[in-house]
Amino acid sequence: MQTHEIIKRFREHFERAGHAVVPSASLILDDPNLLFVNAGMVPFKPYFLGEAPPPWPRATSVQKCVRTPDIDEVGKTTRHNTFFQMAGNFSFGDYFKEDAIRLAWELITNPQDQGGYGFDPERIWVTVYLDDDEAIELWQKVAGLPLERIQRRGMADNFWSMGVPGPCGPCSEIYYDRGPEYGAEGGPIADESRYLEIWNLVFMQNERGAGSGKEDFPILGDLPAKSIDTGMGVERVALLLQDVDNVYETDLVRPVIQKAEELSGRKYGANEVDDVRFRVIADHARSGVLIVGDGVTPGNEARGYVLRRLLRRIIRSARLLGVTEPVLVRFAEVVRDAMGPTYPELVSGFDRIAQVLKAEEDTFLRTLESGSRIFDTAAAQVKAEGRATLPGDKAFQLHDTYGFPIDLTLEMAAEAGLSVDEDGFRKLMAEQRARAKADAAGKKTGHGDQTVYRELLELGATEFTGYTELASEATLRGIVREGKRVRSAKEGDIVEVVLDRTPLYAESGGQESDAGTIVSGNAELEVVDVQKVARKLWVHQVRVLSGEIAEGEHVEARVDPEWRVGARQGHSGTHVVHAALRQVLGPSALQSGSYNKPGYLRLDFAWTGGLSEETRSEIEEVSNLAVRKDLPVRVVYTDMGGAQEMGAVALFGETYDETVRVVEIGGPWSRELCGGTHVEHSSQIGPITMIGESSVGSGVRRLEAYVGIEAFKYLAQERALVQNVAAMLKVPDVEVPARVEALVERLRAAEKELERVRAAQLVASAGSLADQALDVRGVAVVALALPEGTSGGDVRTIATEVRGRLGERPGVVALFAPDGGKVSFVVATTSAARDLGLAAGKLVPAFAPAVGGRGGGKPDMAQGGGTNPGGIAEAVAAVRAEVERALEQR
């Protein structure tokens, strides 16, 4: 049975059982605890935590997931994978244990011609929590499982929680016996390779307190409503139903390996070393394509860094298999074809995905080139110092700073006849991971104590009225100070207030929250910020300007009308610029982030390379033409399926409700899912003036613009600037560019002439410096300090010229240039000096400590720097002494 059929049967089975079919969420969700969605229940966490009311009593989904803690282990075994699909069914206070067990058992064991998977019931085992006698009885009652195939396990294995205070409960895991050829008898507690876990049923019935680990936390009591959360591993079911040994041989993964075989000319299964590389490619290709598909671009932090590691491991593994041509897009095409039926966005967005992958591969190939040069320098220094081991800190620098894989460093070191201090490298890696882990822990906000908001949410969601009015009568439902609910607030207090209805927009979708006021009979509150809690509750942060306010009072919430005018211009302007961008660059130029406020917009989009001045001007022109056309703005409410049929653009990482809001500007020209406030006609946006275009990361560009009155102000400032420059140059405005260009050319010519004169002076000074050579046992030694501020490049030039002036004599030149609190130095030797064993690189360690520095190089020339200019005289003496010592030992 093919994987797509496995997924189809899962969805249909639970849809027939009354479950809402929920599409997979993006891998990127706004969760401070997660880089990527790593379990099927993650998108449903707000419902299980009570932060939001569930829109359905029961639901089912097949969620794409990525787990990355064990990236380095992927490929070494057939068990580790970064990407997988988790099929699940969920009950939010609806059915419980018996129905969960029954629904799972029916799907697993029903014959394939009746829509099931057709597993042999006699080969199914289950585990339950230690004291969950109810689950044991239900497995016997519903499935007829004998007691000998039901095993009890402790909290570490069969008790589930999110790792934070909140819902938890015992679970029951379903295993399939693969047969004696896969391991020992005795059920899951004896051998989990033979008895393969395929499904975990979580019975969410308790509330846990604070604690660490899987077992160290108290159970506080029972939940008011019991729920179900299950997860079935799609890939594991596939390997069983396709009768293959492991996930890498299933229908959606094996094609990537086949492509790698085709490109490399090698065969999977021939040897374990190559097999590891094939598996790395197959696993990481799926993860990388799905992650890029959800809007992540390679970078040096967080998700971008993980993605970069995945992609670079693919490239490196392919190279170790002998493939020298670009590979990322080739593998991505295979993933697209295999996964597209389930995730059509991989097909529709493939141009953008391919663009990001190509840019990253080009970048990494340049990294390999530059890293190789750095490695060569380090290896030469190690050999020059008479050592045979590359230090761990150097290997770590290559890995951490230049993205050079450690296995590549090991291979190149072996080719150079060196070993690598792997222990030192891994120690530094462990320290880095510990710092990263501590940093991540420090940044986590977790779920915090949401109790006060849950109480207010139980009173009902806030009704947002801001689409149709700027002032709304409301009831003050709650006042919160420092996380605690209070009855009242007085003048000078800064608190949070929750209303039953409000016209004030809460920050979301890139749009800043509204400014405004809340007034009652004797109080006025300035609204400082508005945020959503659980996507249903509008929380207003306010400063009490006068009077006193109390819970239960009737108030009026008012939006600052001028603020709203500018806010609508900014948000609608963002949509217009996005549409213009796609019109000019093509549909792959998709927005990956935005921010807008009155008069200003910022839009990030996936693209490689900067935009030309002509392209920026064209985007600005298309945007303003749309404004001039006075395009109608229309709002349509539909479901996600209807929005997709309309061709509406969904933003990466956003979570949408069952009913979505589509904002159209000019019909299909701009059609996006959006909850923001907008103008009624495009002409109300006013002029759009581009003020910047820049890079904000690998494969991501940023456009910035002013709109409305802010655009007028900006253009007025630009006009005044041109007029001032014209007045200074005493020319008409239109002649300013030509006159400035002429001045710049004159300045460049003058700088070139100065550079020519300076170079001539440097060459001339070389003769006088060579005349100052001291004879040390027949070797001419020029060891001197140059004038303050001489650049490092000039030091090298002078040293080369002085060495040339020494002619055929044995000679050593060591020049030092102080510059503020630093020192640059260069050592150069003549051929005759090198014949005497005087190598430039070997002389550096003798004097470098005196100037607090380090350096190295080849026998003919070495260079470096230090931090102690006061030690130059000592360094000069050390050079002369080292030359004499070296000659004495000959």
Side-chain angles (χ1 to χ4, degrees), residues 219-483:
I219 303 299
L220 304 180
D222 294 335
L223 293 174
K226 297 177 180 180
S227 298
I228 289 292
D229 157 29
T230 84
M232 185 192 83
V234 171
E235 282 77 10
R236 291 192 175 189
V237 172
L239 77 87
L240 292 173
L241 292 179
Q242 294 171 22
D243 194 24
V244 295
D245 186 63
N246 57 69
V247 167
Y248 292 96
E249 297 175 12
T250 57
D251 61 315
L252 297 188
V253 186
R254 190 68 170 88
V256 182
I257 293 178
Q258 290 170 342
K259 176 58 69 174
E261 289 177 318
E262 174 190 323
L263 295 175
S264 67
R266 302 188 192 184
K267 287 296 180 183
Y268 181 62
N271 66 78
E272 183 58 23
V273 174
D274 280 355
D275 285 357
V276 170
R277 295 162 183 165
F278 280 118
R279 290 193 288 262
V280 167
I281 291 169
D283 174 84
H284 291 4
R286 294 214 305 167
S287 299
V289 170
L290 268 297
I291 291 171
V292 174
D294 277 350
V296 180
T297 53
N300 294 322
E301 294 182 352
R303 299 181 180 106
Y305 178 70
V306 173
L307 174 60
R308 172 160 284 168
R309 283 194 66 197
L310 292 168
L311 298 180
R312 292 186 171 188
R313 278 170 60 86
I314 295 172
I315 300 167
R316 176 60 185 150
S317 296
R319 293 208 153 212
L320 291 172
L321 288 172
V323 184
T324 57
E325 62 187 281
V327 295
L328 288 184
V329 176
R330 302 288 297 277
F331 292 137
E333 290 169 345
V334 178
V335 174
R336 173 200 62 196
D337 295 342
M339 306 294 291
T342 300
Y343 305 106
E345 64 270 19
L346 297 182
V347 179
S348 61
F350 190 74
D351 287 347
R352 181 188 59 81
I353 294 171
Q355 192 175 62
V356 171
L357 297 180
K358 182 180 183 303
E360 179 60 17
E361 187 154 20
D362 291 344
T363 299
F364 185 47
L365 292 178
R366 291 193 296 270
T367 295
L368 286 175
E369 184 178 345
S370 61
S372 297
R373 289 196 300 268
I374 294 161
F375 172 85
D376 290 342
T377 301
Q381 182 177 348
V382 169
K383 289 182 176 181
E385 295 170 358
R387 295 183 289 120
T389 302
L390 188 75
D393 61 345
K394 182 59 68 175
F396 178 75
Q397 180 190 19
L398 282 164
H399 169 85
D400 191 55
T401 304
Y402 301 100
F404 222 52
I406 182 60
D407 55 353
L408 180 57
T409 301
L410 291 169
E411 182 179 307
M412 293 179 65
E415 292 170 354
L418 299 173
S419 61
V420 178
D421 177 14
E422 290 189 66
D423 290 341
F425 168 80
R426 302 201 184 283
K427 180 181 178 183
L428 291 168
M429 284 293 293
E431 290 174 358
Q432 185 197 54
R433 288 194 187 101
R435 287 193 300 271
K437 189 174 182 180
D439 183 57
K443 290 179 179 177
K444 279 185 185 179
T445 60
H447 295 281
D449 184 1
Q450 299 272 321
T451 305
V452 64
Y453 301 118
R454 291 181 203 166
E455 292 174 356
L456 292 168
L457 192 55
E458 288 174 0
L459 299 176
T462 303
E463 178 190 355
F464 178 62
T465 62
Y467 292 137
T468 57
E469 58 189 38
L470 296 181
S472 300
E473 298 292 330
T475 300
L476 201 162
R477 281 183 172 166
I479 303 174
V480 178
R481 180 190 289 118
E482 297 178 353

Side-chain angles (χ1 to χ4, degrees), residues 9 707 836:
R9 290 185 180 217
V707 297
L836 297 175

Side-chain angles (χ1 to χ4, degrees), residues 523-543:
E524 182 179 5
L525 288 64
E526 176 192 4
V527 177
V528 178
D529 186 27
V530 189
Q531 296 291 329
K532 289 183 191 177
V533 172
R535 297 166 52 200
K536 300 290 184 183
L537 207 64
W538 267 240
V539 177
H540 308 71
Q541 186 181 52
V542 301
R543 179 183 292 107

